[in-house]
């Protein structure tokens, strides 16, 4: 008597009744849909949050370079895939800092509105005590003929002092100091209050007739700032751009590793190392942000000490993964860190600022 055959609900292939898993696709044969099953499938499918993550977390934090070395050896299923780990931890990191991001956006909008309404007190130059146009040498040249002909003109010392005071007073009158930018701003403010067409406002601000997309976006965002509603969007766009920037920074970091370890494997090997190292960084800073915000305000000195200690982790990871002498590795790690923190990160920061200003 032959065993009864049933069809898999997923791949519809036949298998022998009594199997716990389908021999063709691996799905459980008795997988009733419950809240627990739904939640587990969601997490495991999108973030691979399973036993491999738990097995990978402790080595990631306390055994620098171990996961990358094991993955290169061929242990691809024992630990979580480097790209999957990076994706999962980066999502957690940006979720944690999103609480601070919302506060910064709100503060930026509030500050922008106060500036537009004139609630922010600004310091102005006191024209009664500062010689704004003519310097002391020029004033002396103006007064010199009067002093040289004092007797001929019948001028007394008090008369010269009065003349000196009158010239300085006229020199320091605010009406003599005109600012084109202030004049344009007042005119643009009046156009905004009057509800003028934005195209007319852009042209008044200096936009050319055949403006490109970037130029038009530039003046549109300047106008948003002048209307008191642009600063928060700019801050939000900046933080939204960070995950995108990281997908460029990490391959660039792997490329730098390839330059310094050109004979230590292919570019993919260095990319695996970078995935795990950036996962470690995101984990450390996510924990710091979370503890500082929700648990206890850690002293700044300890925060900085923990941040600097990530370099020690990087050094040990390089020694274990690339297997070079510690002194040579220390020298290389210093140069790599210098290049990345002094040149690449600031440049990326400026590009993010420009990107967020143009496209927010």
């Amino acid at each position: 008597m032959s065993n009864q055959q049933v069809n898999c609900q997923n791949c519809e292939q036949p298998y022998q009744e009594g199997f716990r898993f389908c021999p063709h696709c691996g799905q459980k044969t008795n997988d009733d849909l419950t809240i627990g099953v739904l939640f587990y499938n969601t997490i495991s499918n999108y973030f691979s949050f399973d036993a491999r993550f738990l097995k990978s977390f402790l080595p990631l934090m306390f055994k620098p370079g171990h996961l990358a070395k094991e993955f290169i050896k061929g242990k691809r299923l024992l630990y979580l895939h480097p790209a999957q780990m990076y994706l999962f931890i980066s999502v957690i990191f940006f979720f944690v800092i999103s609480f601070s991001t919302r506060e910064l956006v709100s503060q930026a909008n509030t500050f922008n509105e106060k500036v537009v309404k004139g609630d922010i007190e600004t310091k102005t130059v006191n024209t009664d005590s500062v010689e704004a146009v003519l310097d002391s040498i020029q004033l002396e040249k103006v007064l010199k003929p009067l002093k040289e002909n004092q007797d001929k003109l019948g001028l007394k010392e008090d008369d010269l002092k009065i003349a000196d005071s009158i010239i300085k007073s006229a020199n320091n009158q605010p009406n003599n100091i005109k600012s084109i930018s202030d004049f344009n701003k007042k005119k643009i403010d009046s156009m905004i209050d009057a509800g003028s067409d934005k195209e007319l406002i852009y042209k008044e601000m200096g936009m050319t007739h055949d403006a490109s997309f970037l130029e038009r976006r530039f003046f549109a965002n300047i106008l948003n700032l002048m209307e008191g509603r642009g600063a928060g969007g700019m801050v939000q766009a900046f933080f939204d751009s960070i995950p995108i920037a990281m997908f460029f920074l990490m391959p660039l970091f792997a490329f730098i590793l390839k330059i310094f370890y050109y004979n230590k494997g292919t570019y993919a090997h260095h990319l695996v190392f970078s995935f795990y190292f950036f996962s470690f960084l995101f984990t450390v800073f996510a924990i710091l942000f979370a503890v500082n915000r929700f648990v206890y305000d850690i002293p700044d000195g300890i925060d900085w000490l923990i941040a600097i200690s990530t370099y020690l982790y990087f050094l040990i990871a390089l020694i274990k993964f690339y297997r070079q002498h510690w002194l040579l590795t220390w020298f290389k790690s210093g140069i790599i860190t210098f290049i990345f923190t002094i040149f690449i990160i600031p440049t990326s920061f400026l590009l993010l600022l420009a990107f967020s200003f143009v496209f927010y």
Side-chain angles (χ1 to χ4, degrees):
M1 182 176 179
S2 60
N3 294 326
Q4 186 176 354
Q5 298 283 317
V6 294
N7 291 333
C8 174
Q9 295 176 341
N10 180 55
C11 66
E12 299 183 354
Q13 295 294 320
Y15 62 87
Q16 185 176 337
E17 187 179 14
F19 283 8
R20 294 183 58 190
F21 296 92
C22 173
H24 304 285
C25 68
Q27 177 172 288
K28 292 182 65 175
T29 58
N30 184 18
D31 196 14
D32 295 334
L33 185 60
T34 63
I35 296 297
V37 170
L38 179 63
F39 178 77
Y40 175 82
N41 287 340
T42 301
I43 298 298
S44 62
N45 288 339
Y46 287 97
F47 301 114
S48 293
F49 187 81
D50 53 19
R52 289 183 299 161
F53 176 80
L54 299 178
K55 290 180 181 178
S56 305
F57 182 76
L58 290 180
L60 175 70
M61 299 303 296
F62 302 106
K63 299 178 70 175
H66 176 77
L67 291 180
K69 184 174 63 176
E70 293 297 299
F71 189 85
I72 297 301
K73 286 181 178 179
K75 295 183 179 180
R76 310 290 166 80
L77 297 179
L78 181 61
Y79 300 108
L80 193 61
H81 191 279
Q84 291 175 326
M85 173 165 280
Y86 171 78
L87 176 62
F88 174 72
I89 294 179
S90 63
V91 169
I92 298 299
F93 172 78
F94 289 110
F95 172 76
V96 171
I97 68 171
S98 66
F99 293 95
S100 299
T101 302
R102 285 195 289 269
E103 291 182 357
L104 290 175
V105 170
S106 177
Q107 292 173 3
N109 283 328
T110 301
F111 181 79
N112 197 173
E113 292 174 0
K114 288 183 177 180
V115 170
V116 172
K117 293 178 181 178
D119 295 337
I120 302 297
E121 183 180 354
T122 58
K123 295 182 179 180
T124 57
V125 178
N126 185 0
T127 57
D128 293 332
S129 61
V130 179
E131 298 176 3
V133 179
L134 300 177
D135 58 22
S136 59
I137 298 177
Q138 291 174 315
L139 289 173
E140 186 63 28
K141 289 181 179 179
V142 174
L143 293 172
K144 185 177 180 180
L146 297 178
K147 292 180 179 180
E148 291 178 348
N149 297 281
Q150 179 179 354
D151 294 336
K152 295 180 181 180
L153 297 174
L155 298 175
K156 300 179 180 179
E157 290 295 330
D158 291 339
D159 296 328
L160 290 176
K161 292 180 179 179
I162 293 173
D164 178 83
S165 177
I166 291 174
I167 293 174
K168 289 183 177 180
S169 177
N171 173 57
N172 293 324
Q173 285 298 321
N175 293 333
N176 293 336
I177 306 174
K178 296 181 180 180
S179 172
I180 296 177
S181 61
D182 289 342
F183 173 77
N184 286 338
K185 183 179 185 304
K186 292 177 181 178
K187 187 173 182 179
I188 292 170
D189 287 339
S190 64
M191 293 177 69
I192 294 174
D193 294 336
S196 301
D197 184 74
K198 288 188 177 182
E199 290 295 323
L200 296 177
I201 299 177
Y202 295 159
K203 292 180 180 179
E204 181 63 31
M205 294 169 65
M207 189 181 76
T208 58
H209 178 71
D210 55 344
S212 63
F213 170 77
L214 291 179
E215 183 181 356
R216 185 176 296 275
R217 288 295 304 170
F218 174 81
F219 283 102
N221 293 334
I222 289 292
L223 182 60
N224 287 336
L225 291 173
M226 295 180 65
E227 292 177 340
R229 54 186 176 86
M234 184 175 175
V235 172
Q236 184 65 58
F238 176 82
F239 282 99
D240 290 343
S241 303
I242 293 178
I244 301 175
M246 294 307 301
F247 276 98
F248 291 96
L249 285 176
M250 190 168 51
L252 187 57
F253 183 79
F255 178 73
I256 296 175
L257 291 176
K258 176 62 177 175
I259 294 176
F260 282 85
Y261 295 96
Y262 62 92
N263 60 345
K264 293 290 186 177
T266 64
Y267 175 77
H269 290 67
H270 308 293
L271 193 58
V272 168
F273 179 90
S274 301
F275 270 123
Y276 282 123
F277 177 64
F278 274 74
S279 297
F280 166 78
L281 292 179
F282 278 144
T283 302
V284 170
F285 290 114
I287 293 174
L288 278 180
F289 274 110
V291 172
N292 276 296
R293 181 173 182 85
F294 302 111
V295 181
Y296 171 73
D297 188 11
I298 302 175
D300 293 340
I302 297 178
D303 284 336
W304 280 105
L305 184 63
I306 295 174
I308 295 174
S309 67
T310 58
Y311 168 74
L312 181 61
Y313 178 98
F314 177 56
L315 175 61
I316 298 174
L318 289 178
I319 294 174
K320 290 187 176 181
F321 184 73
Y322 293 107
R323 295 185 175 276
Q324 285 189 342
H325 191 272
W326 70 268
L327 186 59
L328 178 60
T329 304
W330 174 75
F331 177 74
K332 288 185 177 181
S333 66
I335 298 178
I336 294 171
T337 304
F338 178 82
I339 293 174
F340 202 74
T341 56
I342 302 300
F343 295 103
I344 297 179
I345 292 181
T347 302
S348 302
F349 180 82
L350 293 176
L351 290 176
L352 282 179
L353 283 179
F355 180 85
S356 60
F357 178 76
V358 173
F359 294 102
Y360 78 87

